Amino acid sequence: MLDDGKAKEFKALGSCEDASRMARYAQACSDDISFTWDSYSGDGDIVLVEENGKYGYIDAAGKLVIPCEWEEADSFSEGFARVGKDGKYGYIDTTGRLVVPCEWEEADFFSEGLARVGKDGKYGSIDSAGRTVISCEWDDMGFFSEGLVCVGKNGKYGYIDSAGKLVIPCEWDDAGSFSGGLARVEKDGKYGYIDTAGRLAIPCEWDDVGRFGGGFARVEKNGKYGYIDTTGKLCVPCKWDDTGFLFTGIFGKGPAPVKKDGKWGYIDTTGKLVIPCEWDNADAFNEVPARVEKDGKYGYIDTTGRLVIPCEWDDASVFSEGLAYVGKNGKYGYIDTSGKLVIPCEWDDAGIFDEGIAPVEMDGKWGCIDTTGKTVVPCGYDDLLHTKTHFFALKNGCLTIYDLEGRRVF
């Protein structure tokens, strides 16, 4: 807490690396501190705040732990945060110590122990001690993946290793990061894949290609989509108008969604249509059952296409931690994977469960519940942020902090 007897105005900014923790815009204050936030920093519940155009950090107890002295600042990543002064950038650690001087014109967050930096329009990398690991000689530079990073010079792209050695020549018109030992590359408007040795593993013959996931990648030709495997074999012909997005690989935990003539169905790994294209919208089988829509109502199907939860809900989410929120007549509750309503539809709004906690709204105020429907933080707040170890709750401009058991700690 500050002890000068005056309220301090802070604005908290957030982490671009941890989108799942994004908070809603809101304003909060304690007896001595007030701030607004966009999100929280992912390391140790340290929140980035602003006071009179300068940036610093508070902890989960509401204490200002790093003074507001920086003209620019970011959230922490791998224990370091980018800060700026007089148009130059450096890095601080979680104690606020300046470990890398503000001497760079551009700087990014740390990833795999390195941070991309720029000077005079060229890019390189430094380590957490500020030592130059890769000299600033590249016109463009990506981020490390599987030990390699894409770099560009004179309009062509190749790859260097963590020592800065050019291991794949700059000969491609465009290039992406490696995933599963393969990277997307472009030559003369067509796309294919190379391996980590730089060999062309899959010829550049496609109008567009995606990243590999679960051994498959989406490819496009003449406006239609299909799938190839890691050998380049066309396993699913390019005849679909669209395909679905999955977090767990192309085929997730079941068949993959495809679209034809405005309706969605599902195919297996051979490209066979195993669930007819009869749905207005259909989700991937990231979880089972999968959400589907027909005539503006939502339900769920299993991997055989059987409708296991009828399309009777006005709104519905995907399943998360075995529960999905559902809405009817403007009220929300939760069902389990059998379709049983385990938490009644009594909330004005609701979110998905994350680590056993879900946000719920009543009369314009937010709180949160556990998977049994028990209130953890009561619905009395204008906004609510769930971090890894605390809840930041806002009411009438006042900040309250709870632990994960719902005990007030600030």
Side-chain angles (χ1 to χ4, degrees):
M1 297 292 291
L2 304 178
D3 58 5
D4 60 3
K6 298 179 181 179
K8 297 292 184 179
E9 289 295 330
F10 292 103
K11 180 182 179 183
L13 303 180
S15 167
C16 63
E17 295 88 68
D18 194 357
S20 67
R21 304 294 183 183
M22 290 299 287
R24 311 167 205 276
Y25 288 87
Q27 184 165 5
C29 68
S30 69
D31 293 338
D32 299 305
I33 301 174
S34 66
F35 65 90
T36 65
W37 68 50
D38 298 341
S39 75
Y40 100 110
S41 155
D43 288 7
D45 282 359
I46 299 176
V47 178
L48 176 60
V49 296
E50 177 191 358
E51 177 190 16
N52 299 324
K54 300 288 186 179
Y55 297 86
Y57 300 81
I58 63 171
D59 64 15
K63 179 182 178 183
L64 186 66
V65 292
I66 298 176
C68 292
E69 59 181 330
W70 301 104
E71 295 169 5
E72 293 187 52
D74 288 331
S75 298
F76 281 90
S77 174
E78 297 188 3
F80 301 94
R82 184 190 74 152
V83 292
K85 189 170 285 189
D86 299 326
K88 301 288 186 180
Y89 299 93
Y91 295 86
I92 60 172
D93 62 20
T94 54
T95 71
R97 184 171 65 95
L98 186 65
V99 293
V100 177
C102 291
E103 59 184 3
W104 301 101
E105 295 170 3
E106 295 185 49
D108 289 298
F109 57 87
F110 273 89
S111 175
E112 296 188 14
L114 296 175
R116 182 177 67 174
V117 292
K119 187 175 286 188
D120 300 325
K122 301 292 184 180
Y123 296 90
S125 291
I126 60 172
D127 64 18
S128 59
R131 294 183 292 260
T132 297
V133 178
I134 299 171
S135 60
C136 289
E137 59 178 296
W138 303 102
D139 301 337
D140 196 4
M141 187 175 184
F143 297 94
F144 275 94
S145 177
E146 300 184 7
L148 297 175
V149 61
C150 178
V151 291
K153 185 171 282 189
N154 301 323
K156 297 292 183 180
Y157 291 84
Y159 295 81
I160 59 176
D161 62 19
S162 58
K165 180 183 177 182
L166 185 65
V167 294
I168 299 175
C170 292
E171 59 182 348
W172 303 102
D173 299 335
D174 194 10
S177 59
F178 277 92
S179 173
L182 295 172
R184 168 185 185 267
V185 291
E186 178 194 2
K187 178 85 77 168
D188 300 327
K190 297 293 183 179
Y191 294 85
Y193 297 85
I194 59 172
D195 62 22
T196 54
R199 293 184 294 260
L200 186 63
I202 298 173
C204 292
E205 59 180 319
W206 304 101
D207 298 338
D208 198 8
V209 297
R211 285 168 59 90
F212 275 93
F216 296 91
R218 186 173 87 159
V219 293
E220 178 188 356
K221 186 166 282 190
N222 300 324
K224 299 293 184 179
Y225 298 91
Y227 292 99
I228 59 173
D229 64 18
T230 54
T231 70
K233 178 185 175 182
L234 185 63
C235 302
V236 177
C238 291
K239 64 178 184 179
W240 303 103
D241 300 335
D242 200 358
T243 62
F245 175 79
L246 296 93
F247 300 102
T248 52
I250 301 303
F251 290 89
K253 297 180 179 179
V258 291
K259 187 179 184 181
K260 189 79 167 179
D261 300 326
K263 296 292 184 179
W264 288 86
Y266 294 80
I267 58 173
D268 65 16
T269 56
T270 70
K272 179 183 177 182
L273 187 67
V274 293
I275 298 175
C277 292
E278 60 180 323
W279 304 103
D280 298 336
N281 279 295
D283 286 331
F285 281 98
N286 293 305
E287 297 294 338
V288 180
R291 179 180 60 176
V292 292
E293 179 191 358
K294 182 169 282 191
D295 300 327
K297 299 290 185 179
Y298 295 88
Y300 298 82
I301 60 173
D302 65 17
T303 56
T304 71
R306 185 169 62 95
L307 188 65
V308 293
I309 300 175
C311 291
E312 61 180 335
W313 300 102
D314 301 335
D315 194 7
S317 72
V318 297
F319 276 93
S320 175
E321 301 180 6
L323 297 173
Y325 70 72
V326 289
K328 186 173 284 190
N329 300 323
K331 294 294 183 179
Y332 288 83
Y334 293 84
I335 58 173
D336 63 19
T337 55
S338 73
K340 180 182 177 182
L341 188 65
V342 293
I343 298 175
C345 290
E346 59 185 0
W347 310 101
D348 297 337
D349 201 356
I352 65 171
F353 275 92
D354 178 21
E355 297 179 358
I357 300 293
V360 289
E361 182 203 0
M362 180 72 75
D363 298 326
K365 299 296 183 181
W366 287 89
C368 58
I369 58 175
D370 64 18
T371 55
T372 70
K374 177 185 175 182
T375 297
V376 179
V377 175
C379 284
Y381 296 95
D382 301 326
D383 221 321
L384 189 69
L385 171 63
H386 175 200
T387 73
K388 294 177 181 178
T389 60
H390 291 84
F391 299 101
F392 291 78
L394 314 173
K395 182 179 181 180
N396 298 327
C398 294
L399 169 67
T400 302
I401 301 176
Y402 293 88
D403 66 19
L404 296 185
E405 302 299 320
R407 293 183 293 261
R408 182 173 175 169
V409 296
F410 177 78

